Amino acid sequence: MGGTGAAGPIGPGREDGLVELTLLFTDIEGSTRLWEADPGEMPQALQRHFELLDASIEAHGGRVIDRAGDGVFAAFASAAQAAASAVDAQRALTGEAWPTSTPLRVRMGLHTGSVIAQGPALTGTQVHRAARLADLAHGGQVVISAVTNGLLAGVLPDGAATRSLGEHRLRDLEHAEHVHQHVVPGQPHEFPAQRSGGSRGH
């Protein structure tokens, strides 16, 4: 994926060219319906949504790597920074007075892994895993991979916790993922079952 931020890796790289980062993927749930219902209001709403996401990413030391449609791909040096950014972004998005007939609800996924840093771009299997993880989420929900959840033990944002959602298949990927969800006081935390190729236990 192409980059929109400053060049160079966020975290320390290794001799093999890999760098371990926590990756954040987002997109707006039901954006096509929103564009059809509110074509005049959506450009303003979309821009404001990007401003809120950018502010939370920058405030927690992250970098926007790419944008595609209504989604953002960002990277952080630590899982704690990425989690804090996601929580702050969801709070800001929930509190925004949207010009559209229904509020914008953003799906988010966090995954930590080793990626290839080539200038501002990040590539590799873990990037795809992070993107597919975000596909499981519902609007307003932050889902987290097992490795990221492990790294967050004891360092979650104040008042936050995680909840197991069971093991899920990720589209186009061979290995299932044990998925967790952020539970943040004052934010919605009950969502429909995850949209995956199948799950094993909750």
Side-chain angles (χ1 to χ4, degrees), residues 59-83:
H60 293 283
R63 175 160 59 87
V64 174
I65 305 300
D66 197 11
R67 288 180 179 169
D70 55 40
V72 169
F73 169 29
F76 299 80
S78 75
Q81 289 173 312

Side-chain angles (χ1 to χ4, degrees), residues 11-33:
R14 308 197 308 237
E15 290 184 2
D16 57 8
L18 296 176
V19 57
E20 183 167 298
L21 300 171
T22 298
L23 310 176
L24 166 68
F25 275 86
T26 80
D27 74 357
I28 299 173
E29 183 178 57
S31 60
T32 300
R33 292 192 301 272

